[in-house]
Amino acid sequence: MLYRSTRGAPDRLDFRGVTLAGLAPDGGLYLPEAWPELSQQDIADLAGLDYAETAARVLAPFVGDSLTAEELRSLTRAAYARFDHAAVVPLKQLDQRQWLLELFHGPTLAFKDVALQLLGLLFERFLTGTDRHITIVGATSGDTGSAAIDAVAGRENLSIVMLHPAGRVSDVQRRQMTTVIADNVHNVAIDGSFDDAQAMVKRMFGDPDVTGHLTLSAVNSINWARLAAQVVYYFYAAVRLGAPHRPVAFSVPTGNFGDVFAGYVAARMGLPVARLVVATNVNDILHRALAQGDYSAGIVTPTATPSMDIQVSSNFERLLFDLGGRDGAAMAAQMAGFESTRAMRLTNAQREGASALFTSAAIDGPAMAGALRWAWESAGELIDPHTAIGLAAARADDGDPAIPMVTLATAHPAKFGDAVERASGRRPVLPGRVGNLFDREERYVSLPGDYAAVRDFVLRHGGA
Ligand SMILES: *Cc1c(COP(=O)(O)O)cnc(C)c1O
C-alpha cells in the first residue's frame, strides 16, 4: 500500500513514511493510492472479534509491509488495553432506532484517545532503533493536547511541546495535560488565544531556524494513521448491528472532518453505510458546503461545543480530492483559490458524489440542549454537548427508520460538566480513573504571546 498527496506531488510513501511525515511537502494530505476492499465474507468474519483484533484486521491493508501482522496485533492490543470498558467502544441503545457508540473510555475521556493511543505506539515503533528524534509540536483548545500528551509521555525518540491558551481551557482539560510529569512532555501556557498559539505552531513548521535543528511532526487529524485508526470503530459497530447483511447509518459531530471522513473510508472499503450525517454546531461551513456547495469560512462563534468551533475543516480536502476524480493539479488549484479568498464552490462532481452518502445539519444551542435532555429523560443516558449535536441531527434525519442510526459519542459528559448540568439538571461525575486529577502536581511554563520566546523554548527543550 502506497500513499500520495492530494495536491499532486509525485512521491509515494509507505505507511511508515506517512505516519512520520504528517503533512505532505506540497501542503496536501496523504491518501492511499487505491481503497482496499473487504469482501462480505471478510466483514462477516469480524463478528465476535474483540476490538483490538478487529483493529488489526481492518488496519492490515493500510499498514502493508510496514509491520508484520503479529507486530500490528501487539500494538493494537497495547493501545486498547488502557480503555476502561471491556468492549473498548460500547454501543448503547436509546430507542428503537437511535444508538450511541461510546468512544470516550480512553485515558483522557474523549474519542481522540482511540486514534492517539495507537499513534503514540506507532511513532515509537517506527523510530526505535533509528537515530531519529521527532518533536511533536501542537496547539490545543483542550482535547487533542491531553490525548496526545498521554499517548507519547515517556516514549523513546519522541518529545512533545503542547501550547494552550492560558486561562482558556477548562481546569480538567489543563490538568489532564499539566499533571503528566515526564521528561519528554513540555506544556506551555501562551498569553493569547488558541488561534495565536496555532499560528505560532504553523510558523514554526516553516521556520528554518527550527526545522534546521529539529524534525517536527504533528498529531492533528491531518495524520493519515490517525484517520485509519478511526475507520475501525465504524466496522466494529456496524457488524454488531447486522453488517454486512444490514446497512447502518451514522451521525457524527464534526469539526475538522476527520472522524466523519473515517466513516467515508469504511464505506469505500465495502461496509454497508446507508448514510453519514455531518452534524455541525452554528459554525456550519461543512453544512453549507454539503447542502449548497458553498465552502466559505466565516468568523468562529464560541459555543458549548468548543472542539467543533472550527471554520476551516482540513480533512474536507481529502473528500473533495477523492470525489473530484483524484486530480492533484486541480485540487492544488482549488485549494490555492480557497487559501487566497477563504471561499470556494464545490464542483458538480464533488456535490453529486457527496450527496450519495452524506447529509448534514447545523444544530444551534437550544436544539443541542434539547437532545441532551431527551437522552437523559427518555433513555437515562447523560451525554456531552458534542454528542448532543450529533444526536439532534440523528433524530432529525429523515432516512429509513428501519436502518439503525448510530451517533458517535465523542466525549465523556464530565469533561463538559457545566453545560451538561445546565441542559439536564444533572451533574456528571468524573470517572475514577482520573479521580485524583485535582491533587496531582502540575508542571507547565507560561510564556508571552511572542513567537521568538516560544521558538526559543522549543529549540531549548524540544530536542533529544
Ligand atoms: C475533536 C472533537 C470533535 C470533532 O472531531 P473532528 O475529527 O475534528 O471532526 C468532536 N467532539 C469532540 C469531543 C472532540 O474532541
Side-chain angles (χ1 to χ4, degrees):
M1 168 75 65
L2 290 172
Y3 296 81
R4 259 184 206 274
S5 166
T6 50
R7 299 200 190 169
D11 53 319
R12 302 175 336 154
L13 268 63
D14 64 5
F15 182 74
R16 178 181 186 278
V18 292
T19 300
L20 295 178
L23 199 67
D26 60 357
L29 305 175
Y30 286 111
L31 274 186
E33 283 194 307
W35 297 115
E37 278 183 44
L38 298 193
S39 67
Q40 291 246 333
Q41 189 59 50
D42 294 334
I43 298 171
D45 288 347
L46 299 174
L49 299 182
D50 69 16
Y51 192 79
E53 181 62 30
T54 306
R57 300 252 186 126
V58 172
L59 290 172
F62 293 116
V63 170
D65 297 333
S66 293
L67 296 170
T68 66
E70 220 19 77
E71 285 169 330
L72 175 59
R73 188 172 291 112
S74 78
L75 295 184
T76 61
R77 289 241 165 273
Y80 299 116
R82 296 197 55 208
F83 282 60
D84 84 336
H85 194 293
V88 181
V89 295
L91 266 172
K92 292 213 170 135
Q93 189 163 14
L94 297 179
D95 69 7
Q96 178 60 28
R97 181 183 181 209
Q98 304 292 339
W99 298 73
L100 290 178
L101 181 64
E102 291 186 348
L103 302 175
F104 52 71
H105 290 274
T108 74
L109 314 182
F111 86 98
K112 292 182 171 74
D113 288 325
V114 179
L116 284 168
Q117 285 293 320
L118 183 64
L119 188 64
L121 293 169
L122 287 168
F123 265 104
E124 184 177 58
R125 164 58 61 104
F126 291 145
L127 291 170
T128 300
T130 71
D131 54 8
R132 287 180 75 182
H133 181 97
I134 282 188
T135 306
I136 294 166
V137 181
T140 184
S141 54
D143 290 344
T144 297
S146 51
I149 286 170
D150 191 281
V152 308
R155 301 214 174 282
E156 304 263 329
N157 300 42
L158 271 178
S159 44
I160 183 165
V161 182
M162 190 56 64
L163 315 183
H164 69 266
R168 302 197 203 185
V169 299
S170 75
D171 287 350
V172 171
Q173 287 176 321
R174 189 191 67 250
R175 285 180 166 274
Q176 281 185 318
M177 297 190 278
T178 59
T179 62
V180 177
I181 308 295
D183 289 342
N184 68 336
V185 170
H186 307 280
N187 277 290
V188 182
I190 298 286
D191 186 11
S193 67
F194 167 71
D195 289 335
D196 297 336
Q198 178 75 26
M200 287 190 216
V201 170
K202 283 203 178 129
R203 187 162 162 196
M204 241 175 279
F205 276 81
D207 180 347
D209 284 348
V210 181
T211 56
H213 294 97
L214 300 174
T215 307
L216 300 188
S217 189
V219 290
N220 52 16
S221 59
I222 59 168
N223 190 299
W224 171 258
R226 219 181 124 172
L227 285 194
Q230 292 173 240
V231 174
V232 175
Y233 46 72
Y234 287 89
F235 278 92
Y236 184 80
V239 163
R240 271 156 188 77
L241 293 173
H245 315 294
R246 291 172 62 209
V248 180
F250 292 89
S251 177
V252 187
T254 308
N256 234 338
F257 207 75
D259 207 2
V260 70
F261 186 75
Y264 172 80
V265 175
R268 296 302 303 253
M269 292 172 74
L271 190 70
V273 176
R275 176 171 282 199
L276 291 168
V277 180
V278 175
T280 74
N281 62 25
V282 293
N283 297 292
D284 64 349
I285 179 169
L286 286 167
H287 173 55
R288 281 182 284 115
L290 291 165
Q292 297 153 28
D294 165 31
Y295 188 81
S296 59
I299 291 169
V300 176
T301 305
T303 71
T305 47
S307 299
M308 299 162 64
D309 290 346
I310 276 178
Q311 280 293 345
V312 178
S313 294
S314 336
N315 282 294
F316 201 49
E317 177 173 343
R318 286 188 157 114
L319 179 72
L320 297 180
F321 173 74
D322 202 44
L323 295 175
R326 293 191 157 234
D327 179 341
M331 195 69 234
Q334 199 177 9
M335 291 310 298
F338 176 74
E339 278 154 22
S340 65
T341 62
R342 308 270 294 164
M344 67 184 174
R345 299 287 311 169
L346 271 54
T347 66
N348 285 343
Q350 289 166 337
R351 285 190 73 175
E352 279 158 28
S355 67
L357 189 58
F358 294 93
T359 62
S360 63
I363 305 296
D364 64 12
M368 178 280 285
L372 202 154
R373 206 158 39 241
W374 177 82
W376 173 242
E377 287 171 1
S378 73
E381 291 293 337
L382 267 190
I383 61 174
D384 106 286
H386 301 79
T387 307
I389 296 269
L391 183 61
R395 294 188 71 223
D397 178 77
D398 61 0
D400 181 349
I403 294 177
M405 171 65 80
V406 180
T407 296
L408 302 192
T410 51
H412 191 287
K415 237 182 154 168
F416 299 93
D418 293 340
V420 172
E421 187 173 10
R422 260 197 307 278
S424 67
R426 172 103 180 183
R427 180 107 199 145
V429 187
L430 269 176
R433 66 187 186 281
V434 296
N436 71 346
L437 198 58
F438 284 86
D439 304 328
R440 295 206 291 259
E441 176 200 348
E442 286 191 82
R443 190 185 292 173
Y444 63 99
V445 300
S446 299
L447 291 177
D450 166 46
Y451 177 70
V454 176
R455 178 196 58 203
D456 292 348
F457 178 87
V458 170
L459 283 171
R460 228 167 325 113
H461 299 280

